[in-house]
Amino acid sequence: MRDPVTPDGRTVRIPVGSAGRRPYLLDWFRDAVRRLGRDASIEITEADPRAVTATVADAVHPVPPYRDPDFAAAMVDLVDRTRPDLFLSLNDHELTCLSGPLADKLRGSGGVVLALEPERQRLVADKHAMAVAFDPCGIRCPPTALGSDRAGVRVLAGTADRLVIKDRFGSGSSGFAVVRATDALTALDRREQDPDLSIVQPYLDGTEFGLDVIGDLAGSGAVAGVLARRKDGCAQGVTTRVVTEDPAPFRSLAESLAHLVGPQGPMDVDIVRTDAGPIVLDVNPRFGGGYPFSHCAGSDVPGYLVAELLGVPAPPGWNTCHIGLTVGRYDSFVPIG
């Protein structure tokens, strides 16, 4: 447990980068701070001032997009002025920009920044590098070939009827396509991007699961909690319904992943359980789109992070949820001006 970062009782300030359409997460952090008797300022940093989260944020800080050369300077200036206690981002590409020197500069204000060291961020951001690095550590990924490796793609085509093509550095389902193995090279030729930026994998038959592997704020590699969900419904690549699962069968995998990645706070993991065992599809060191299902089933990762930040005991049962509960997702609407 950390020493308290707000010993004087001042307002706990937590900006969230690229919060997008996730106002519920801001509410959960605000509730977690207030339950501990502190005032909360839950803010957002956004390139789009009309983001729906602006309707629930206590402050909105406009910043350039992560691709903009002025992004780093704007973030340093913002942190110098506002002195946040905790900063986290929900955008994979923004996390890559933050990792390393920029995150260290932001930490100079005395707050906690949830960002990996550069080599670990590159490992999870590059799906080809991840597959290569995980295998010697006993963590199975699908056999993976770069789109530019035509011989490698032909080998994969001889092992499966269908292949998956997706973006090598993608976020979510970007560039995702399922094609017949015999059509894979043609499909790659039709993609309007460098073939080195695509990967090819066999399509896997099995049951898909989402995990949240929760590390401490120090990024020590210790696992503070594991949450598991079986995906039970999907529409246009978005999970719409899950069934919460006992995380015990996934604990060993979670510990191996945490040892390699060293997450600060939540790490979102997508796996497929096949007859040969679990295979890791994706790893994102942030709150993923699947966490709200577990939160609605009783877990409280924001509560844990706030407690760790303030150096107080975590809420009882924060890393558990009602097992076997079916949880569904729906959309809502709010005026944003």
Side-chain angles (χ1 to χ4, degrees):
M1 198 156 51
R2 293 169 46 82
D3 292 332
V5 299
T6 57
D8 55 1
R10 65 180 173 82
T11 297
V12 178
R13 189 181 301 275
I14 302 176
V16 180
S18 298
R21 296 177 296 167
R22 290 182 258 195
Y24 48 80
L25 190 59
L26 276 63
D27 289 336
W28 294 339
F29 270 103
R30 186 178 292 113
D31 291 344
V33 174
R34 289 177 176 172
R35 285 199 306 266
L36 294 175
R38 300 293 188 93
D39 291 330
S41 184
I42 311 300
E43 309 170 0
I44 62 171
T45 64
E46 265 292 346
D48 180 1
R50 293 181 298 173
V52 70
T53 39
T55 64
V56 300
D58 295 305
V60 179
H61 303 288
V63 296
Y66 64 85
R67 299 183 185 89
D68 193 298
D70 294 328
F71 171 76
M75 288 299 301
V76 171
D77 176 68
L78 170 64
V79 168
D80 283 345
R81 287 187 289 104
T82 62
R83 300 283 168 170
D85 299 295
L86 172 68
F87 175 79
L88 63 147
S89 175
L90 305 182
N91 183 288
D92 295 319
H93 302 298
E94 189 171 87
L95 285 169
T96 296
C97 294
L98 287 166
S99 66
L102 178 54
D104 291 339
K105 287 181 181 179
L106 301 184
R107 292 179 183 121
S109 70
V112 176
V113 178
L114 302 191
L116 300 179
E117 292 301 312
E119 63 276 7
R120 293 186 172 188
Q121 177 62 32
R122 282 193 293 270
L123 184 67
V124 295
D126 181 343
K127 293 176 174 59
H128 182 260
M130 184 179 78
V132 171
F134 279 11
D135 185 63
C137 300
I139 301 171
R140 295 188 62 202
C141 291
T144 303
L146 290 176
S148 58
D149 179 8
R150 300 181 75 86
V153 173
R154 290 190 185 96
V155 170
L156 291 181
T159 67
D161 294 331
R162 291 182 290 171
L163 297 179
V164 171
I165 302 174
K166 54 187 174 181
D167 290 344
R168 176 180 178 180
F169 299 97
S171 179
S173 300
S174 67
F176 183 89
V178 179
V179 300
R180 291 185 301 179
T182 53
D183 296 335
L185 291 175
T186 301
L188 285 165
D189 289 339
R190 290 175 177 168
R191 288 167 74 94
E192 296 181 357
Q193 66 178 26
D194 184 337
D196 267 339
L197 298 180
S198 297
I199 61 166
V200 182
Q201 298 171 329
Y203 180 86
L204 299 176
D205 289 315
T207 306
E208 291 190 46
F209 291 82
L211 306 180
D212 292 304
V213 180
I214 317 302
D216 56 29
L217 291 183
S220 68
V223 175
V226 182
L227 304 167
R229 305 166 293 275
R230 174 169 50 84
K231 299 183 181 184
D232 191 50
C234 186
Q236 297 179 331
V238 176
T239 302
T240 56
R241 188 175 61 248
V242 308
V243 179
T244 53
E245 294 274 337
D246 180 0
F250 304 103
R251 182 80 189 195
S252 176
L253 173 61
E255 290 177 346
S256 297
L257 287 167
H259 176 73
L260 276 177
V261 179
Q264 286 181 283
M267 178 170 65
D268 176 61
V269 182
D270 289 327
I271 67 173
V272 110
R273 189 161 65 188
T274 68
D275 292 340
I279 297 179
V280 175
L281 301 178
D282 211 2
V283 175
N284 300 295
R286 56 168 171 79
F287 279 100
Y291 172 71
F293 294 106
S294 292
H295 193 94
C296 290
S299 63
D300 187 10
V301 174
Y304 164 72
L305 296 178
V306 169
E308 171 117 337
L309 182 74
L310 299 180
V312 300
W318 72 267
N319 56 355
T320 61
C321 57
H322 185 141
I323 303 303
L325 186 67
T326 299
V327 183
R329 170 188 182 133
Y330 73 98
D331 292 326
S332 186
F333 300 88
V334 61
I336 57 177

